[in-house]
Amino acid sequence: MNALSDNTIMLRVKAGDLERMGLLFERHYRSLYGFLFHMTYHREASEDMVQTVFYKMLRYRNSFTGEGEFMAWMYQIARNVLKDEVKKKGKLPGTHHDANELADRLPGGASADEHLEKKQANAGLYMAMNKLSDDNREILTLSRFQELKYQEIGQILGITEGAAKVRAFRAMQELKDIYTKMER
């Protein structure tokens, strides 16, 4: 059963085999959580939004055609959930905090010393990422943290592969500029 593609599993879910949704959840919870966490830097909000994404995938399963990639469809739903959060709250949950608060929200069960080291090492990056526009933070999250291919990112964002590469390059340049200015 694990050898089945995501598209095949989702088509079976669409046909009424709802128990297969658990397999998709197991496969994609972590990456979806990572995407939402890097967009919000808020653990609880990210966990809630992951649940909402899977609920919406189940609710709107009939909209999945199987022609495109499952991942693109899933991330489009996740982007819509983020947009809904912005509409409800006026901003992404958890964004625009100071670096120490962001680093405190890192998930995981590391020891206190390891957590402190990780907190200090990542604080500058989180601060710089937090200063990016939502669009630039999103494309860097998809390309660098989620390690999606530009073709997949293009499908998710509704742009060409080339446009995804250009946007990612520009976002990375902006991140470098922000980080460099912070170091001065």
Side-chain angles (χ1 to χ4, degrees):
M1 180 168 75
N2 283 341
L4 295 175
S5 73
D6 292 339
N7 280 19
T8 301
I9 294 170
M10 192 61 213
L11 287 171
R12 288 186 181 180
V13 169
K14 180 179 178 177
D17 189 0
L18 303 182
E19 290 184 19
R20 300 277 177 145
M21 194 63 165
L23 183 56
L24 291 172
F25 183 86
E26 288 174 20
R27 285 184 182 179
H28 298 288
Y29 173 84
R30 185 169 240 167
S31 64
L32 196 55
Y33 172 81
F35 167 70
L36 293 166
F37 180 79
H38 282 98
M39 291 301 297
T40 64
Y41 299 116
H42 194 273
R43 185 178 22 217
E44 293 82 14
S46 299
E47 289 170 352
D48 290 345
M49 284 188 283
V50 167
Q51 297 296 325
T52 301
V53 169
F54 279 97
Y55 167 76
K56 288 189 178 214
M57 285 171 34
L58 196 55
R59 183 173 179 195
Y60 299 112
R61 65 188 176 272
N62 290 328
S63 71
F64 182 75
T65 63
E67 292 176 19
E69 288 296 317
F70 169 80
M71 292 278 284
W73 182 72
M74 179 183 73
Y75 277 106
Q76 286 171 342
I77 293 172
R79 292 178 75 228
N80 288 336
V81 167
L82 275 168
K83 288 177 186 176
D84 290 346
E85 285 294 313
V86 170
K87 285 179 187 174
K88 278 196 277 187
K89 297 181 179 166
K91 67 175 185 162
L92 288 176
T95 56
H96 309 295
H97 297 282
D98 69 39
N100 291 328
E101 185 176 354
L102 291 176
D104 284 341
R105 292 181 178 190
L106 286 172
S111 70
D113 288 342
E114 291 170 341
H115 181 72
L116 182 59
E117 287 176 23
K118 189 177 230 183
K119 177 179 170 179
Q120 291 170 344
N122 290 324
L125 176 62
Y126 284 122
M127 260 178 59
M129 286 285 289
N130 198 36
K131 291 182 179 187
L132 291 173
S133 68
D134 291 341
D135 290 339
N136 283 347
R137 188 169 57 250
E138 178 180 53
I139 200 151
L140 285 180
T141 298
L142 291 170
S143 66
R144 300 296 191 256
F145 294 106
Q146 300 308 115
E147 299 177 352
L148 296 179
K149 296 176 181 146
Y150 290 115
Q151 179 184 8
E152 294 170 316
I153 295 169
Q155 289 177 349
I156 293 166
L157 300 179
I159 59 177
T160 66
E161 180 180 348
K165 286 179 185 178
V166 169
R167 286 188 187 181
F169 176 78
R170 289 180 181 161
M172 185 57 81
Q173 289 304 114
E174 183 181 349
L175 180 64
K176 286 178 185 176
D177 290 345
I178 291 169
Y179 191 79
T180 302
K181 289 177 185 173
M182 288 172 31
E183 292 294 311
R184 292 181 191 164

